[in-house]
Amino acid sequence: MWYFRKHTVVSVPGLIVLALTLSFGIAFFAYIGVANKRSRLVKRNEFLYMWEAFIGTTLGLQALFVVSAYRASNRYLYWTLGWILYGIVMCALALCVVGGYGATKDAGAAIWAVLWAVPAVAISVYAAKARRGYAVDRVMGIPEFRPRLSDSRGSVLCMVALDTAFPWTTWLIGVFFALLVAIQALALANDHRLYKQPGRLVPVQTNGGEDWYDMHVWCAGYDAETQKSNRPVFVLLPDFGMPSTSMQGLMQGFANAGHPACIVDRPGYGWSEPGYWMQDPRDVVQSINQALDKYPVANPLILVGWGEGGVWSQLYMQAADATRVIGMVLLDTYPNLEILQTFALNRTTTLQNLRQFRSLGASRTDPVPVVNFDRPLERSVSRMFSDWRAVSPLALHRARNAEWPGFQPQTSLGMHKSRFRDNLHYQAKYFEYGGTGARLYQSLLDYVSPSIDSVLVYHHWPLRWPALPATAGSAFTSSLTRRQASAPVVTAVTSNIPVILIASSAQFNSDCSAHKISDSEECTKWQAFAWFYYRQQIEYQQTLSQNAALLACVGE
């Protein structure tokens, strides 16, 4: 029969702590691998569990140190009061994490935090026993430090040094990371209490129908009566990195004017789950189409894309369902701003990479190939998103954003901010960026017809995009027929769908003083950008549809 020595690691409590520490350590490295694994469905930010496993590993090592240092024949455990207080503090922080993530219904995060209590309690209990034993020794006149005869002088000095350096170093590490995780957990719980999910989560299929995740659809002015009337519904698609709250004011404006409107959160943004990684833009627009079907929104659609959301709207027309779309509005939309700016500055070495985009168009069956336009820059941006994704569970990003762009009312600014401060926002940006900011643009290239390509080549334009499909709105042929009767005939453009291009006139204004640009070099850059911004909108107007109009709005 095994005999477990009391007050050492080779005891029942010590072996429990040892097993738990090993589990924490294995989980820490496992979550690092899982978080970076591709070709899988992602439900949460696994870096949260990685940080919890790291804190648990730290606590486990501390508990093993305290248990092994508390012995009857030689006592090397100094700072007993500090260890007691540390164990109590870590238990309190564990309770905060459990309460915070329990409120947000993240059971996995809550369970990991519960396990912190085992080594934390062991630390306080054994440190208290040691402190009580030292008090008894002092009454009896026995010195607190009493090495065993079998211990060498070197081992004694090593233990004394370790007992001085190890506690203070690990206390700082443990409290620092546990405090950050607790702050984020409590902040998320508070956001969850203040800002309820405004729309509905709709399950959609991905990865060829093998996996499911939830997308958030938020509608205003859309009810059963509207559905029966078959009135058009405005579907709003936000810019890159923007949740649905960024277009809440615009949605409410449509609804107040008597026009139903909906916003769809792309994977990971707002209240949508992260979805499949690596992310295929065509799969995303098909998921958006599924979400609208299952909400259900069976009415004709008018797509309203803001910024990169306009590119998503174009891809929806090509890869999802153009037959239900009877109109499109693009707000400050450019196919790829980085390529356009590079072309405007005539950076010939970088422009050579445009050949890759033209030779490697996206396939309708295979995943979109990753082609880097500016590899150093794109690696830097991707690494930035990846790093912020990793530290999001530590609340370090909560004070990062100073500006909150979008069309949200001031009364809803708090809810809008909360969507940038959860654990998934930077993960969504990292997934959507996909290692290259041109991934969404690449996905459009396979749909470019030779006629549109020849027009853009003739105009010496670097970017490519397809004209909107001629089948647009065919599910609602009566209104489409009326438009076709009066639409002009253009050989390269076969679609008659109404398109409104809205851009800020400030982007076209080459007056540097109006933009408070005093440096001559920066002024030259801006003047080049302003001209090409204007040219891009003109090219859109001439190639997207026969029924397109450009509006330049005064103001910011």
Side-chain angles (χ1 to χ4, degrees):
M1 183 176 180
W2 286 96
Y3 175 73
F4 299 113
R5 292 180 293 160
K6 292 184 177 182
H7 318 313
T8 67
V9 175
V10 189
S11 63
V12 173
L15 291 177
I16 292 175
V17 172
L18 178 61
L20 194 58
T21 304
L22 291 174
S23 300
F24 276 125
I26 294 172
F28 172 70
F29 290 105
Y31 278 124
I32 292 177
V34 169
N36 294 294
K37 183 182 177 182
R38 303 186 178 189
S39 301
R40 65 190 180 93
L41 187 70
V42 181
K43 287 289 187 178
R44 292 178 177 85
N45 186 342
E46 289 95 353
F47 280 106
L48 167 61
Y49 307 138
M50 181 206 75
W51 288 116
E52 290 189 303
F54 171 76
I55 296 168
T57 304
T58 303
L59 278 168
L61 293 174
Q62 291 170 326
L64 291 174
F65 177 80
V66 171
V67 171
S68 62
Y70 170 61
R71 306 184 215 169
S73 57
N74 66 335
R75 293 168 178 156
Y76 297 139
L77 187 65
Y78 293 162
W79 317 106
T80 52
L81 182 59
W83 282 114
I84 294 171
L85 294 177
Y86 175 77
I88 294 173
V89 168
M90 295 302 289
C91 283
L93 292 176
L95 288 176
C96 291
V97 176
V98 171
Y101 283 111
T104 59
K105 299 180 181 179
D106 190 340
I111 290 173
W112 277 114
V114 167
L115 296 177
W116 293 356
V118 177
V121 169
I123 289 171
S124 293
V125 169
Y126 278 90
K129 287 183 178 181
R131 185 173 180 80
R132 183 180 59 186
Y134 299 164
V136 173
D137 287 350
R138 281 193 295 270
V139 172
M140 299 178 62
I142 302 175
E144 292 184 4
F145 176 68
R146 187 179 59 198
R148 297 178 303 182
L149 295 177
S150 59
D151 288 341
S152 66
R153 183 174 180 81
S155 65
V156 171
L157 293 176
C158 180
M159 285 298 296
V160 171
L162 182 63
D163 199 23
T164 302
F166 182 79
W168 290 100
T169 303
T170 57
W171 288 349
L172 290 175
I173 294 174
V175 171
F176 177 75
F177 286 102
L179 181 62
L180 292 179
V181 171
I183 290 173
Q184 178 68 355
L186 294 177
L188 290 177
N190 187 56
D191 290 341
H192 183 78
R193 178 182 63 85
L194 293 176
Y195 313 115
K196 301 300 181 182
Q197 175 185 296
R200 186 190 308 167
L201 291 179
V202 181
V204 296
Q205 289 178 303
T206 186
N207 189 28
E210 295 183 6
D211 298 303
W212 293 79
Y213 70 100
D214 290 335
M215 294 192 79
H216 178 246
V217 182
W218 182 9
C219 294
Y222 185 77
D223 50 25
E225 183 178 349
T226 304
Q227 186 175 355
K228 292 178 182 179
S229 68
N230 213 32
R231 293 170 55 196
V233 176
F234 288 87
V235 175
L236 282 58
L237 299 177
D239 196 5
F240 173 78
M242 293 290 118
S244 56
T245 52
S246 64
M247 301 190 79
Q248 179 187 358
L250 191 57
M251 178 184 69
Q252 292 295 342
F254 283 129
N256 294 339
H259 305 291
C262 298
I263 315 175
V264 182
D265 274 316
R266 293 193 297 276
Y269 294 114
W271 287 266
S272 289
E273 291 183 341
Y276 198 79
W277 167 246
M278 294 269 301
Q279 193 177 94
D280 187 330
R282 296 162 305 175
D283 186 67
V284 172
V285 294
Q286 290 165 7
S287 297
I288 291 174
N289 191 50
Q290 288 184 58
L292 293 172
D293 281 339
K294 294 180 180 180
Y295 186 80
V297 177
N299 302 51
L301 305 181
I302 300 175
L303 300 180
V304 181
W306 167 40
E308 201 166 278
V311 187
W312 285 104
S313 299
Q314 296 174 63
L315 184 60
Y316 180 94
M317 296 284 287
Q318 305 294 335
D321 187 0
T323 62
R324 62 191 302 189
V325 181
I326 63 170
M328 179 182 290
V329 181
L330 302 182
L331 307 174
D332 287 330
T333 294
Y334 300 89
N336 187 283
L337 205 56
E338 180 188 341
I339 296 177
L340 186 63
Q341 290 175 346
T342 302
F343 186 76
L345 297 177
N346 197 27
R347 293 175 179 166
T348 54
T349 55
T350 309
L351 288 174
Q352 293 174 358
N353 294 331
L354 283 173
R355 299 176 183 175
Q356 298 182 70
F357 290 104
R358 296 173 186 173
S359 62
L360 291 175
S363 168
R364 288 184 175 86
T365 56
D366 298 329
V368 177
V370 177
V371 180
N372 293 95
F373 177 69
D374 187 341
R375 188 179 296 272
L377 175 63
E378 290 171 341
R379 281 181 174 176
S380 174
V381 173
S382 185
R383 171 55 59 185
M384 178 190 68
F385 290 150
S386 177
D387 291 344
W388 280 108
R389 169 200 179 200
V391 300
S392 290
L394 301 180
L396 297 177
H397 65 307
R398 298 191 71 84
R400 185 170 187 266
N401 294 302
E403 298 181 359
W404 309 97
F407 303 89
Q408 71 282 349
Q410 190 66 27
T411 54
S412 301
L413 187 59
M415 182 169 68
H416 182 57
K417 290 180 179 180
S418 71
R419 295 300 90 198
F420 289 84
R421 294 169 172 173
D422 62 13
N423 293 335
L424 298 178
H425 178 73
Y426 281 99
Q427 177 167 276
K429 296 181 76 172
Y430 176 66
F431 284 3
E432 188 166 282
Y433 193 78
T436 166
R439 194 171 180 83
L440 176 59
Y441 169 68
Q442 287 174 249
S443 63
L444 280 176
L445 295 181
D446 192 54
Y447 304 99
V448 179
S449 65
S451 57
I452 291 295
D453 186 67
S454 62
V455 169
L456 295 173
V457 169
Y458 179 75
H459 292 172
H460 302 287
W461 201 244
L463 297 167
R464 298 291 183 270
W465 56 87
L468 300 182
T471 57
S474 60
F476 309 93
T477 54
S478 58
S479 59
L480 182 63
T481 303
R482 288 195 296 270
R483 293 195 299 274
Q484 287 175 335
S486 58
V489 177
V490 181
T491 304
V493 184
T494 58
S495 175
N496 289 326
I497 183 175
V499 177
I500 299 178
L501 305 167
I502 302 177
S504 171
S505 61
Q507 291 186 320
F508 307 154
N509 188 353
S510 59
D511 183 5
C512 294
S513 60
H515 297 278
K516 300 180 181 180
I517 301 175
S518 57
D519 183 76
S520 59
E521 184 177 349
E522 292 299 321
C523 180
T524 302
K525 285 184 179 180
W526 173 254
Q527 289 174 338
F529 291 163
W531 169 244
F532 280 90
Y533 291 162
Y534 173 73
R535 276 285 310 277
Q536 174 58 54
Q537 299 301 325
I538 295 298
E539 297 295 336
Y540 260 161
Q541 183 185 11
Q542 295 179 353
T543 55
L544 282 178
S545 173
Q546 299 179 45
N547 199 4
L550 172 61
L551 301 177
C553 298
V554 178
E556 296 295 333

